[in-house]
Amino acid sequence: MNLAEYIFAHRDQHLNELCDFLRIPSISAKTEHKPDIERAAQWVASNLRSAGFQTVEIVPTALHPLVYAESLHAPGKPTILFYGHYDVQPAEPLDLWTSPAFEPTVRDGRLFGRGTADDKGQVHIHLKALESLFKTHGKLPINVKVLIEGEEEVGSVSLWEYVQKNKARLQADALVVSDTSMLAPGVPSITYGLRGLNYYQIELTGPERDLHSGVYGGAVPNPITILCELFAKLHDKDFRVAIPGFYKDIAKLSKAERKSLNALPWKEKDFRKAVGAPAYCGEKGFSIVERLWTRPTLELNGIWGGYQGEGAKTVIASKAFAKFSTRLVPNQNPDKIARLVEKHIRKLLPKSVKMKFETLSTGKPWVAPFHAPIFQIAQAALQKGFGKKAVFIREGGSIPFVTQMHDTFKVPCVLIGFGLPDENAHAPDEHIALDNYFNGIRAIAHFYEDLASL
Ligand code: BES
Ligand code: MN
Ligand code: MN
């Protein structure tokens, strides 16, 4: 059997096996799922052994284990490092799932379940591509290092420590990642830019304790009102972030790049359908694609305080809280932005509240040229898998590891996404299109095979 025949003959087996992986609720954010995280790491390790990797390690870390494997039996051939994550986001709100989050189910040519698109399904595409190559060739045609982590959804802290301590070991000619999206159905895509991400939390304290709002209201500052006023001041009427210096260091987009991004087969109609809001907004002077991929933002991600239970409770809360984040683009510096954000917020707040400001994590944006030969090989392999020419896109999401690797090793980073923007990553009813999963295995197998000629 040749490679394509082998992959076709194993479709059902591959899909069933992915479902086993998806049934493990490896939620990195929740301590109670620690045993599931361990189980998922074991699962990945044993799957790598079936794919022909002899060196497979589960590396314990301060938080969740990472899985490292290598197969270096192709002297003179390129070495690639494949990165992905086996952890997933929490599944809440559970009642909005059509079928349970950890009981993978096929409906209308799509596989539903937490982790299908982000990122277990995409990791599995590579595991099966490598296994298929190993089974049909008897060995892998190139040298492969694999690093699958369990903390991506909570900031990849242990991973960075591991990279710092294992630079020689992780050295490769290129980094390959599948944790992004395709531009649209039937449009294979290679991502050459991601936004960076800073995440913040603030706590405002007004009165020392909760107060009766009738007894005290009118003469006491309300921290929830002050929090709302604060966030109302962080954007201007043109939807620009109203923090002095926020836009100062941004690299100007070239005319040529603007033109090529705006010429992509991207449909505003699909975007509207995926979002489903009554109206849209955004920074003046930029197209939607430019807003999503090339402009920085400030977003409130959660806000709480006071009484939220059933019925009424007349209270002035002592505290109000918010979680918010800034997406960053080249050449904004995450530490500098964090300082500007804190400084401006401190300046806006009245004396009637005290603030605790925390920057929970920072992450740099990433954009890189894509003229190295490996990008043409990727494009040709995607053509073999999908029968269509791949496009080069940027995206708005963040993968801190990509920037860290690029800064550390200065090698090409090839981001080949098989998810779709409307597949509900991080939300109820997450899914992956089965066509993209199966075509993905074919494309990636050809990619690794063709890299031998590099
Ligand atoms: N796979 C995503 C990142 C992504 C999504 C990139 C879509 C491109 C397109 C990743 O798992 C993720 O969710 N990243 C987080 C940041 C992380 C530090 C928690 C994000 O982008 O919010
Ligand atoms: Mn991901
Ligand atoms: Mn994610």
Side-chain angles (χ1 to χ4, degrees), residues 85 118 152-153 179-181 194 197 327 395 397-400 426:
H85 61 96
D118 185 10
E152 198 278 343
E153 300 292 7
D179 191 23
T180 49
S181 306
L194 296 166
L197 176 70
R327 294 278 165 180
E395 286 191 271
S398 309
I399 310 175
H426 295 199

Side-chain angles (χ1 to χ4, degrees), residues 72-299:
L72 308 174
H73 305 294
K77 301 292 178 191
T79 302
I80 70 111
L81 173 65
F82 169 66
Y83 161 83
H85 61 96
Y86 67 78
D87 65 320
V88 298
Q89 287 269 326
E92 286 81 3
L94 301 182
D95 54 317
L96 294 185
W97 285 80
T98 308
S99 49
F102 296 102
E103 293 174 27
T105 309
V106 174
R107 285 192 299 277
D108 310 324
R110 300 154 167 184
L111 177 63
F112 287 80
R114 175 56 87 234
T116 43
D118 185 10
D119 183 32
K120 285 172 167 173
Q122 300 208 52
V123 165
H124 199 248
I125 285 173
H126 286 258
L127 296 177
K128 293 309 100 180
L130 289 164
E131 183 186 69
S132 304
L133 278 169
F134 178 69
K135 293 278 157 75
T136 51
H137 287 50
K139 73 185 222 19
L140 293 180
I142 55 165
N143 302 300
V144 183
K145 301 178 177 181
V146 177
L147 187 57
I148 313 288
E149 70 155 318
E151 287 180 25
E152 198 278 343
E153 300 292 7
V154 292
S156 304
V157 176
S158 307
L159 176 72
W160 183 227
E161 278 182 38
Y162 181 77
V163 173
Q164 292 299 310
K165 287 191 192 129
N166 292 275
K167 281 191 189 160
R169 186 176 212 199
L170 296 176
Q171 184 76 52
D173 300 309
L175 173 70
V176 174
V177 179
S178 286
D179 191 23
T180 49
S181 306
M182 294 166 60
L183 183 67
V187 187
S189 310
I190 301 172
T191 299
Y192 70 90
L194 296 166
R195 289 192 288 193
L197 176 70
N198 278 4
Y199 206 98
Y200 318 92
Q201 180 164 331
I202 60 174
E203 176 186 319
L204 300 186
T205 309
E208 215 162 62
R209 65 191 77 85
D210 285 5
L211 300 171
H212 189 296
S213 66
V215 176
Y216 292 101
V220 172
N222 184 322
I224 300 178
T225 311
I226 292 168
L227 189 72
C228 295
E229 285 168 353
L230 167 71
F231 279 99
K233 286 180 193 143
L234 295 183
H235 290 93
D236 69 14
K237 63 179 186 345
D238 295 327
F239 211 74
R240 280 172 64 90
V241 177
I243 294 177
F246 189 76
Y247 293 93
K248 185 167 169 278
D249 300 326
I250 296 178
K252 200 170 161 352
L253 270 191
S254 72
K255 269 202 183 131
E257 185 175 11
R258 277 188 103 158
K259 207 174 144 199
S260 85
L261 291 179
N262 288 310
L264 286 166
W266 181 91
K267 294 200 197 73
E268 185 166 338
K269 198 179 91 236
D270 297 343
F271 164 80
R272 287 178 187 271
K273 207 174 135 214
V275 177
Y280 300 85
C281 68
E283 201 185 336
K284 260 197 188 147
F286 296 92
S287 69
I288 299 178
V289 163
E290 288 168 355
R291 288 173 187 164
L292 296 172
W293 299 348
T294 75
R295 299 298 294 168
T297 63
L298 182 148
E299 297 285 358

